[in-house]
């Protein structure tokens, strides 16, 4: 299976430059070892997904753009694709799993997406049915080279802003972000350790890498985690990237995720959704050696206000 390259990431960076915020590195919560946060919650849609969505749309043929696009998403990718498609005048349909975040679903509608609900186990099949029936082009959340290359621009920016970080921590859901970041960082800073982070309750990627084969968890098993962006498993493509380019994966508990969300908000003034707090949670638990400057990717900040208020208050 062909993996993306640094050249693909650099080409994506040129395509997305005028549509995506180049996020800075900001100081993380207090610690003995320097922690830097890469705040992708500051993107126009509140998450890194805008990078892959913009890059994927830029690569579409004119006929596909005219026909429209479809995806399946629990929230952030759907928002990103809807936002990017609106800017290009492209019709966008998002298949949303029942029980998805109301905050994220409402944002998709604001960005002009047509919403099609489906059972969590049926969302990909529903999207493929719409491709067949309506001639739409599928823009998957993570399982495509153009998506992975777009997400890889996060890693390229990290290496441009911080020379040879000791460790880069990145959340893992479907694996597109981790695949792209690992590709860029591995090429630009070979001595940097690249570690994925998952919730214990959705640790299919950790199990897959341990078994050296793709392991899929049933949707109802992964639904238990608060980190809704990680409730989807890897694809063969993202698994191949992670197996080749990650140094490992660690897991964190639900309480550790909530604690990290609160600490990031109180001490760094950064809003992180549960999935976005995974990397910082792994750093705070000490599961990754703190042997030099560390970057934790905050993948998104689209969090229910009630949950945010709760986790901030918990640490006071």
């Amino acid at each position: 299976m062909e993996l993306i390259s640094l050249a693909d990431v650099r080409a994506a960076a040129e395509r997305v430059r005028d549509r995506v915020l180049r996020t800075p590195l900001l100081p993380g919560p207090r610690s003995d070892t320097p922690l830097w946060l890469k705040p992708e919650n500051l993107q126009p849609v509140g998450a890194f997904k805008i990078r892959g969505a913009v890059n994927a749309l830029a690569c579409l043929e004119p006929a596909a753009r005219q026909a429209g696009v479809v995806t399946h998403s629990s929230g952030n990718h759907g928002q990103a694709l809807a936002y990017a498609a609106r800017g290009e005048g492209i019709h966008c349909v998002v298949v949303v799993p029942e029980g998805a975040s109301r905050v994220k679903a409402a944002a998709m509608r604001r960005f002009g997406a047509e919403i099609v609900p489906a059972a969590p186990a049926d969302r990909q099949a529903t999207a493929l049915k719409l491709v067949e029936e309506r001639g739409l082009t599928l823009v998957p959340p993570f399982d495509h080279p153009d998506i992975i290359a777009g997400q890889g621009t996060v890693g390229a920016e990290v290496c441009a802003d911080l020379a040879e970080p000791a460790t880069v921590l990145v959340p893992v859901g479907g694996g597109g972000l981790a695949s792209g970041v690992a590709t860029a960082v591995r090429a630009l800073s070979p001595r940097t350790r690249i570690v994925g982070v998952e919730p214990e309750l959705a640790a299919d990627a950790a199990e897959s890498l341990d078994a050296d084969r793709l392991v899929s968890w049933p949707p109802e098993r992964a639904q238990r985690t608060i980190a809704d962006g990680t409730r989807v498993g890897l694809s063969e493509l993202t698994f191949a990237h992670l197996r080749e380019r990650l140094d490992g994966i660690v897991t964190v508990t639900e309480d550790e995720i909530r604690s990290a969300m609160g600490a990031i908000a109180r001490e760094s003034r950064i809003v992180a959704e549960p999935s976005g707090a995974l990397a910082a949670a792994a750093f705070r638990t000490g599961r990754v050696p703190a042997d030099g400057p560390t970057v934790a990717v905050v993948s998104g900040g689209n969090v229910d206000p009630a949950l945010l208020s709760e986790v901030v208050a918990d640490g006071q």
Side-chain angles (χ1 to χ4, degrees):
M1 183 175 296
E2 185 174 356
L3 308 186
I4 70 160
S5 67
L6 179 61
D8 295 318
V9 175
R10 285 175 165 160
E14 287 298 312
R15 296 187 193 104
V16 308
R17 183 173 54 187
D18 295 332
R19 298 288 306 280
V20 167
L21 178 67
R22 192 194 187 289
T23 54
L25 291 180
L26 300 178
R30 295 183 302 273
S31 62
D32 293 335
T33 301
L35 174 66
W36 297 93
L37 303 178
K38 180 68 168 168
E40 288 295 293
N41 62 303
L42 300 180
Q43 293 293 349
V45 296
F48 74 96
K49 292 284 191 176
I50 187 66
R51 297 172 181 267
V54 169
N55 189 51
L57 292 185
C59 294
L60 286 182
E61 296 293 335
R65 296 165 68 87
Q66 184 172 1
V69 295
V70 62
T71 194
H72 50 92
S73 170
S74 62
N76 283 341
H77 175 67
Q79 289 182 72
L81 189 64
Y83 177 90
R86 184 179 66 175
E88 299 287 336
I90 300 172
H91 182 62
C92 176
V93 181
V94 183
V95 178
V96 177
E98 296 163 353
S101 163
R102 290 176 298 174
V103 171
K104 296 178 182 180
M108 285 184 251
R109 290 189 176 92
R110 285 200 308 273
F111 295 141
E114 175 188 345
I115 304 298
V116 177
D122 297 335
R123 60 184 184 176
Q124 183 172 358
T126 302
L128 292 173
K129 185 178 179 182
L130 290 170
V131 169
E132 184 176 328
E133 292 178 348
R134 295 169 57 175
L136 303 172
T137 295
L138 179 66
V139 181
F142 52 86
D143 189 28
H144 195 283
D146 294 338
I147 295 290
I148 294 172
Q151 320 306 24
T153 59
V154 171
E157 291 176 9
V158 167
C159 292
D161 290 348
L162 185 62
E164 290 195 341
T167 305
V168 173
L169 299 168
V170 57
V172 178
L177 175 63
S179 295
V181 169
T183 296
V185 175
R186 180 67 63 222
L188 294 168
S189 184
R191 292 191 290 183
T192 296
R193 181 190 304 115
I194 311 159
V195 180
V197 187
E198 283 185 306
E200 286 185 355
L201 297 184
D204 55 287
E207 187 175 337
S208 295
L209 292 181
D210 186 57
D212 198 31
R213 61 179 176 83
L214 186 61
V215 176
S216 297
W217 284 20
E220 60 272 16
R221 186 178 181 189
Q223 290 292 317
R224 299 172 300 161
T225 181
I226 193 175
D228 59 298
T230 68
R231 292 172 182 166
V232 60
L234 303 178
S235 68
E236 291 285 357
L237 180 61
T238 55
F239 173 64
H241 281 80
L242 300 190
R243 179 170 57 184
E244 180 71 21
R245 293 171 178 167
L246 269 192
D247 289 301
I249 289 185
V250 298
T251 61
V252 292
T253 68
E254 300 297 291
D255 285 344
E256 289 164 350
I257 296 169
R258 294 169 64 95
S259 177
M261 290 174 65
I264 291 171
R266 290 190 305 272
E267 299 182 36
S268 299
R269 307 299 188 263
I270 292 175
V271 174
E273 62 188 85
S275 303
L278 289 173
F283 178 85
R284 286 164 53 81
T285 63
R287 292 196 176 92
V288 179
D291 52 6
T294 299
V295 176
V297 177
V298 179
S299 55
N302 294 313
V303 59
D304 185 283
L307 174 59
L308 179 63
S309 176
E310 184 180 313
V311 298
V312 170
D314 282 346
Q316 293 179 338

